[in-house]
Amino acid sequence: MKRLLGVALGILTAIGGFVDIGDLVTNAVVGSRFGMSLAWVVLVGVVGICLFANMSGRVAAVSGRATFEVIRERLGPRAGLANLGASFLINVMTVTAEIGGIALALQLASGVSYMLWVPFALLAVWLVVWRVKFSIMENVTGLVGLSLVVFAVALFLLKPDWGALAGQAFALSVPAQEGAGVYWYYAIALFGAAMTPYEVFFFSSGAVEEGWKIKDLLQSRINVLLGFPLGGFLSIAIAGCAAVVLLPAGISVTSLSQVALPVAQAGGQLALAVLILGVVAATFGAALETTLSSGYTLAQFFGWSWGKFRRPAQAARFHVSMIVVLLAGVAVLATGVDPILVTEYSVVFSAIALPLTYLPILVVANDPQYMGKHVNGRAVNIAGVIYLFIILVASLAAIPLMIATGAGA
Amino acid sequence: MSKFPRSRTVVLTFLVILSALLTGCSQRPSAEALESPAKEVSSAVRAASLAVDLRISDSTTAAAASTTADDMLGDVESATDHVHRLSAQTQEERVLRNDALAAFSSISRALLHARDALTSSSGGPNDGQGQTQLTTVQGELRVATEQLDSLMTKAGIQ
Amino acid sequence: MNLNDILGSDVVDGDGQRLGEVSDVRFALDAGAGQLLSQGRFVGIVVSPRTASSFLGYERQELSQPWPLAQLLRWWHRGSFLVLWEDIAVLGSREVGLRPGFTAYDARLTR
């Protein structure tokens, strides 16, 4: 019974933890501009993140090494450092976007400008990172983040023409009013939003934090294989709401307040309140995860003691680096840059940097010296190589597309 | 003696190239250059309209709806800045740019009114005065939207 | 001298002919831990004709999955060979010179 509860909890937190500000914004933007015609990318991204999380979780549980320890061992210090630099910068960008997301959601609730909420969000994130136990932090934000299911409920309440939506989703064609370049640019953004690298650092470091052993592999596999696809389903519901209400009205999403419009239309103030709660929880959870991830990556690379299972005084450099990252994110927000814009760039840069972390994990997951008999099976390897190809293509195409389309304008 | 004119030619050529580059870089207010700001503003005013509608039917809160109006005001401001930077050279371009700016500014004004009305609309459907104010603002947004739409049709922006 | 100075430097044979670049350095641990640590013995360098980039561990023959990646890396590093310490004449900062008549061993590692 206790075990079953554990599994259920794991799945629920995986659903709530999947959606962050990147998924919220990117899916709503895409839904309001392209309808459901990019839904297939979410599917591709979800399968990818399942594969990636499965491999890195297994490596962490079997070898006891988290992602960046493996990257440094496999690539050596020099290539590893370049890798760390890229991953760390994207992490800082994502922290910035998530803190902005918390502040924007609080503005939506209060009407008070988000700039005034930023210091509050910073303090709250730091306190939780500093004081709260890992499992409590994970489970609370994940469970409350589940209230984003309101998007799926809203989609039903809107009584859309399901056939037309499915038609858009399966047509696999570029909508007439948008160019092919913009379509593919947003395809990459959506892929990056679903496969953000911090999720994987966090997942594998979390496995070490929670002291996973080989016998826990089954449960982790269930969490991933059920939780992430359901999270992907939520992403599609976000796009669906935008496609049903905003696309026909000629509204293309540029702010979080617009993402809330379809939900308010479908479910009134109650739904709106649930939505705001969900957005705060999801962005707050993701802000914690990204902040911790930046601490994890630095500490794992440089060999500092890390982890929330240690007292902060025993992992001082780990905690200091997280404070620095949080302050850096807030400094970026203080310049007045639009957090939504930061979010849109952060998901694309996530896609660009993805091969840097994916390749070493794929290699090590096949290495019997690390993995013993738990190396990748044949099916996982076939999928792993196909995804290596997809990830490389998306990474290489992102910058040319960004320049050609003016970042999707 | 013979060196002086040559260096002048070099300087002149350089200036000609530079000015060509500068004019090439600063866009002119053609229909294409106006397309993206006009679409941005059109999307913004429609979103604000929807927010006012939702507030009238009490589906959304004053805070959320006024946040939408405020965000949309920001979008219109950035689009206006963009159009201000376009340099008109012919009479035709000047007229087009001024028409666009006029449409944007009446939308800006309507959005400001909408934001104020939404912020102060506390009572929901029972608040008679608030409802009247919102309906007035809604009318203003509609008129401004139509002005922009007809301009976009005239300029050939679909 | 740091290992970083050797890695990636050019390798020439006795006649000054360029053979490739140093892509790896092999060590052996001969004894158990001594007073401080067990001594690492410099066995030799791996010379790769094309690239000084990492083998990513695919020099070990038991590592053969995922197949396309293993093939790609082995193909990229084809013609790599191991030169023992005794056959190295100069270990300069710019290039590594080998003695005439050096022996090129197979760079692959088997169990």
Side-chain angles (χ1 to χ4, degrees), chain A residues 107-111 177 245-246 249-252 254-258 261 264-265 268-269 272, chain B residues 39 42-43 46-47 50-51 54-55 58-61 63-64 66-68 70-72 75 158:
Chain A
Q107 177 182 10
L108 210 52
S110 64
Q177 68 275 18
V245 174
L246 303 179
I251 299 170
S252 56
T254 56
S255 72
L256 187 66
S257 57
Q258 287 167 307
L261 289 172
Q265 180 173 335
Q269 295 195 4
L272 182 66
Chain B
K39 278 187 169 170
S42 149
S43 155
R46 283 176 164 82
L50 178 56
L54 291 174
R55 184 65 194 137
D58 204 28
S59 295
T60 187
T61 59
S66 63
T67 303
T68 314
D70 195 42
D71 288 342
M72 297 305 101
D75 282 2
Q158 52 94 13

Side-chain angles (χ1 to χ4, degrees), chain A residues 236-287:
Chain A
I236 292 180
I238 296 170
C241 282
V244 171
V245 174
L246 303 179
L247 178 65
I251 299 170
S252 56
V253 168
T254 56
S255 72
L256 187 66
S257 57
Q258 287 167 307
V259 181
L261 289 172
V263 177
Q265 180 173 335
Q269 295 195 4
L270 179 66
L272 182 66
V274 176
L275 166 80
I276 292 173
L277 183 70
V279 174
V280 171
T283 49
F284 194 81

